[in-house]
Amino acid sequence: APGTLTAADADRLAEVAEEMRPVFGAGDRILDAAAQLNDLLIRHMAVPNLHGHPGRSPVLAFHRADASLVDAWAADMGTALAMVIGVGQSVRLGVCQAGKCSLVFFDTTRNASRRFCDLSCQNRAKASAYRARRRA
């Protein structure tokens, strides 16, 4: 998608990200989250196609060649999430369990047991739990 990211685009992308967030950690509510994701895919006109620049090999994208930056990002990310859900891997879409963290992640561990977005959140949570046990 051509163009430079504007403040308005950034605001719209934040809204799109917030719409996608329920898919992460949905558990038993995955069908509801998938229905919301389907609505997002329709609104942003997600459609698989090959496009690119002259002199280069075409690339597979899930947005129209003339899509706005926001529609392109929403369509591509929404499609990626739909593909994860569609192959039965929604359990790997996690929400960080650290108290003050609001990040989400894709769990690549063998047994899908990841609980934190990164090592720093994990370390903070473990240190906090240790201090709470020591006070008790």
Side-chain angles (χ1 to χ4, degrees):
T4 305
L5 182 68
T6 65
D9 289 339
D11 290 343
R12 286 191 57 218
L13 287 172
E15 291 169 6
V16 170
E18 195 59 37
E19 282 185 78
M20 290 181 185
R21 194 170 195 298
V23 172
F24 291 84
D28 293 341
R29 299 177 330 275
I30 193 63
L31 289 178
D32 293 333
Q36 291 174 342
L37 186 58
N38 283 337
D39 291 342
L40 180 137
L41 291 169
I42 291 166
R43 273 196 330 275
H44 293 281
M45 296 172 270
V47 57
N49 66 90
L50 295 165
H51 61 267
H53 300 285
R56 292 187 185 166
S57 295
V59 295
L60 175 62
F62 294 92
H63 62 273
R64 299 177 335 275
D66 63 343
S68 70
L69 187 135
V70 173
D71 283 338
W73 188 89
D76 289 351
M77 280 300 299
T79 301
L81 288 173
M83 290 168 65
V84 169
I85 294 166
V87 296
Q89 295 297 308
S90 61
V91 69
R92 295 193 175 275
L93 299 172
V95 176
C96 186
Q97 294 180 15
K100 295 181 182 179
C101 185
S102 62
L103 297 180
V104 296
F105 57 86
F106 180 77
D107 185 352
T108 58
T109 61
R110 183 175 292 179
N111 61 356
S113 61
R114 187 171 166 185
R115 295 177 43 221
F116 302 100
C117 66
D118 67 12
L119 198 54
S120 61
C121 276
Q122 179 179 344
N123 289 341
R124 278 193 299 275
K126 286 184 175 185
S128 179
Y130 173 78
R131 285 190 298 271
R133 284 192 307 271
R134 298 273 298 173
R135 282 191 297 265

